[in-house]
Amino acid sequence: MNKINLQRVYDVQAPYHANTFLVDRLWPRGISKARLQGVVWLKEVAPDNALRQWFHQNLDWPEFVVRYQAQLNHSTAWQPLLEVLKQQPITLLYGSRDAEQNQAVVLRDFLLSKCTEN
């Protein structure tokens, strides 16, 4: 079974599980690169700056999900995550305070849908 753990980057400490990825476009404020040593930063898989800024201005979650999924469908940045996920669990780190409505939730659901397609 494919398992994806979501964790807020501010709530975790080293040592990190194998296959832990930071999926934010911007480096989390107040977190040193040394603190996340061993974590792979995949900023290319995050929503682009325009969508990120749009969401912060509008806070329209259903529309954000649609737009971000469209970006993911036109990208290949998520494919390395899927390859690892087929073999082992992965952990996605995000910076948002909202555990229910953030890009890692959308990315998780997107990756799980890709797993079921094959």
Side-chain angles (χ1 to χ4, degrees), residues 34-69:
R35 178 172 164 198
L36 292 183
Q37 187 172 8
V39 172
V40 177
W41 183 22
L42 293 178
K43 65 180 173 181
E44 300 81 20
V45 79
D48 66 22
N49 284 328
L51 179 56
R52 185 179 56 78
Q53 291 168 350
W54 175 88
F55 180 61
H56 287 295
Q57 291 172 351
N58 295 285
L59 299 176
D60 183 346
W61 177 249
E63 181 63 19
F64 172 79
V65 171
V66 169
R67 291 181 183 197
Y68 183 33
Q69 286 176 342

